[in-house]
Amino acid sequence: MCDKTKEACSILAQNDRGGYTVPTHDLYPFQWNWDSAFVAMGFATFNVDRAYQELERLVEGQWNDGMIPHIIFHQPSDTYFPGPDVWRTDQHRQTKPTTSGITQPPVFGTALRYIYARHNIRERTLILFNAALRSHRWWLTARDPDQCGLVAILHPWESGSDNSPAWDEALLRVSTTTKTDIQRQDTKHVNATMRPRTIDYQRFIHLVETYRECDWNPKKQWLAAPFKVADVQITAILARATADLLWLASELHLTEEMQELSTMHCRLIRGLQSRWRENLRGFVSLDLISGKDIEKSTQACFIPLIALKLEDYQCEMVRKEIDRWCHGLILGVPTTPLFSSDFESKRYWRGPVWAIINWLIADGLRYNQLRDLAVNIERNTIDMIERNGFCEYFDPITGEGLGGNAFSWTAAAYLVLKHRLELL
Ligand code: DGY
């Protein structure tokens, strides 16, 4: 095992808090939903039992209605804001750990398939499969009540791309007033220039308060939401995870579930297909309040490739567009391109390169027979981590590692991509 691979494994061990992994010390001291799904795949490359455990600990926080929350507060910590006292979600738990009240991209089903394909432990898989299926049902009822085949986020934190330029216009409708005293902790751990701005946090917390006043009831939230975006990135992740659950249902001989998943899958695929825009050479999200396309260039434009088989001409357009985005940069693929007026090389989701986004984009390119470009991105991602460390994200102009360090999902991406390229 090479030194970097050892380091990746030891970061996962270091961030282990007893069967679940924190994304990094201090900055994110709890279990995060999509982080854990990526981390579970990282573990699966060398410790299948621990990979299953990561998902098992995540579903300890699943709500009675099926939602898997974005944060599970297994143990108290005062290094993160907003904590459980701000979320106040207690009525949605039985005897479970405290959680936040919103969700995150559902990578779970994809992680479960990845683990099962490496070591099929039927009983453990079945329990997790049922949890995942309940959460997909929640997504389609709570977040696509009009059955348009696209699921909506009601909070930018749900997208995982918190301060993406994609949300700028929709967020203008959200008030900046809050009842909560905003006591940010993130800027004590990471330079403020790399994080969302104060005004973003005011809106993030205003939204939390709005949904808390709806008693976290999905129907009430849907009606009250001042921010409601049918996001192509999250829909693509859900569609892909649905296909992965369908594969698992077939492996596990679950005929009725196969039928149900296949209906869900068709609905999501149709929804995603409707979001392709030729002039933009990618896919666009939909602001459900204004009814308008969100035309901002962000990494989300490419994520539907993980779920959709594109026509040859579309593949060619996407390939050229990714080349254009990476041109002149030390590192690609940026989350916002250099030519966009929104680009900021260090500020979180407004430019920096993220290893897990490159992993998703490469998956989508492979699924669409664009293998050479995928391998290129995978190799560059490995190289970027070897040169700059296991950071949360990277400056595409200088290559500098940014945000938190010793980051779990960056370590997981390193392991999975090296494994895929047979470099482990
Ligand atoms: C944060 O606090 O920055 C997270 O992204 C929200 O989940």
Side-chain angles (χ1 to χ4, degrees):
M1 208 191 261
C2 81
D3 284 353
K4 278 286 168 192
T5 302
K6 276 193 206 139
E7 194 180 335
C9 297
S10 85
I11 286 172
L12 294 184
Q14 221 171 282
N15 290 339
D16 186 334
R17 296 289 181 275
Y20 74 91
T21 312
V22 297
T24 184
H25 57 93
D26 300 339
L27 180 62
Y28 301 118
F30 310 108
Q31 185 174 22
W32 260 259
N33 181 333
W34 76 323
D35 289 72
S36 271
F38 288 111
V39 161
M41 292 188 261
F43 272 123
T45 64
F46 69 100
N47 182 346
V48 172
D49 174 56
R50 185 59 187 74
Y52 273 106
Q53 249 187 355
E54 189 73 32
L55 299 184
E56 287 161 354
R57 299 269 2 227
L58 184 63
V59 299
E60 284 176 20
Q62 185 166 27
W63 283 17
N64 301 335
D65 66 4
M67 182 184 80
I68 304 182
H70 101 296
I71 306 176
I72 319 293
F73 299 110
H74 289 287
Q75 293 165 26
S77 165
D78 54 13
T79 66
Y80 180 81
F81 173 87
D85 54 319
V86 179
W87 292 97
R88 293 184 230 150
T89 60
D90 291 2
Q91 72 274 27
H92 289 275
R93 303 180 288 110
Q94 284 159 340
T95 54
K96 299 175 176 171
T98 323
T99 69
S100 69
I102 56 171
T103 188
Q104 252 187 344
V107 182
F108 191 101
T110 298
L112 186 58
R113 173 180 177 169
Y114 187 91
I115 301 168
Y116 181 88
R118 264 138 209 90
H119 198 90
N120 51 16
I121 306 179
R122 191 186 153 89
E123 285 317 308
R124 288 175 96 172
T125 306
L126 202 51
I127 294 170
L128 293 171
F129 170 88
N130 284 323
L133 180 57
R134 287 181 56 221
S135 88
H136 284 222
R137 286 182 190 137
W138 175 85
W139 270 108
L140 289 174
T141 7
R143 297 310 180 82
D144 183 23
D146 301 328
Q147 309 206 359
C148 64
L150 297 162
V151 290
I153 51 165
L154 303 187
H155 195 301
W157 281 341
E158 294 195 312
S159 69
S161 317
D162 309 3
N163 65 339
S164 168
W167 322 134
D168 286 357
E169 215 177 302
L171 274 175
L172 291 178
R173 280 183 224 112
V174 178
S175 163
T176 55
T177 58
T178 60
K179 295 174 188 155
T180 315
D181 177 22
I182 300 182
Q183 294 187 333
R184 286 181 68 173
Q185 300 298 313
D186 57 324
T187 43
K188 293 184 183 159
H189 312 300
V190 168
N191 191 306
T193 55
M194 300 176 194
R195 295 287 303 171
R197 302 160 307 163
T198 305
I199 195 168
D200 300 324
Y201 259 76
Q202 289 166 334
R203 293 191 162 113
F204 294 162
I205 297 304
H206 181 90
L207 287 171
V208 170
E209 290 172 352
T210 306
Y211 304 139
R212 192 178 69 199
E213 282 160 19
C214 294
D215 302 320
W216 300 107
N217 172 309
K219 284 194 181 132
K220 288 191 200 162
Q221 285 174 256
W222 187 262
L223 295 174
F227 177 91
K228 201 188 292 183
V229 174
D231 172 22
V232 288
Q233 176 165 295
I234 219 158
T235 303
I237 289 173
L238 183 66
R240 164 63 184 273
T242 304
D244 292 330
L245 289 184
L246 189 52
W247 180 88
L248 279 166
S250 140
E251 287 282 309
L252 300 167
H253 310 293
L254 304 170
T255 327
E256 270 176 39
E257 287 82 350
M258 282 175 71
Q259 194 62 45
E260 182 182 355
L261 285 161
S262 155
T263 308
M264 280 183 190
H265 189 242
C266 290
R267 175 164 145 193
L268 294 166
I269 293 298
R270 269 201 303 274
L272 273 179
Q273 278 166 339
S274 72
R275 306 309 301 159
W276 167 259
R277 295 292 175 273
E278 201 137 314
N279 58 326
L280 300 171
R281 303 200 268 196
F283 292 82
V284 296
S285 294
L286 173 66
D287 184 331
L288 290 174
I289 293 181
S290 68
K292 286 194 195 145
D293 282 1
I294 296 177
E295 294 195 341
K296 294 272 172 122
S297 302
T298 73
Q299 85 289 339
C301 306
F302 307 125
I303 306 296
L305 274 76
I306 62 173
L308 289 181
K309 288 266 186 224
L310 303 192
E311 303 282 337
D312 289 351
Y313 82 95
Q314 291 175 307
C315 284
E316 188 48 24
M317 283 184 160
V318 168
R319 197 186 56 70
K320 282 202 181 128
E321 191 62 359
I322 292 182
D323 278 348
R324 183 164 86 103
W325 283 38
C326 295
H327 185 75
L329 295 176
I330 283 202
L331 301 176
V333 181
T335 43
T336 301
L338 191 56
F339 57 77
S340 156
S341 56
D342 298 308
F343 178 83
E344 290 182 73
S345 66
K346 296 192 185 339
R347 200 182 291 282
Y348 213 35
W349 289 94
R350 302 182 77 88
V353 177
W354 293 69
I356 53 111
I357 292 296
N358 278 3
W359 172 359
L360 288 175
I361 291 176
D363 276 3
L365 294 170
R366 280 176 180 265
Y367 187 58
N368 280 280
Q369 306 342 310
L370 292 165
R371 193 176 178 280
D372 289 356
L373 181 54
V375 170
N376 211 351
I377 290 174
E378 288 158 358
R379 283 190 186 282
N380 287 341
T381 307
I382 292 169
D383 200 45
M384 156 179 106
I385 296 168
E386 287 179 350
R387 280 170 203 262
N388 306 294
F390 290 89
C391 295
E392 187 178 4
Y393 40 95
F394 301 85
D395 183 325
I397 297 177
T398 62
E400 184 193 351
L402 307 167
N405 57 23
F407 218 85
S408 299
W409 72 10
T410 310
Y414 184 80
L415 292 170
V416 168
L417 297 181
K418 272 195 104 170
H419 195 264
R420 177 181 295 175
L421 295 173
E422 295 179 357
L423 299 171
L424 275 190

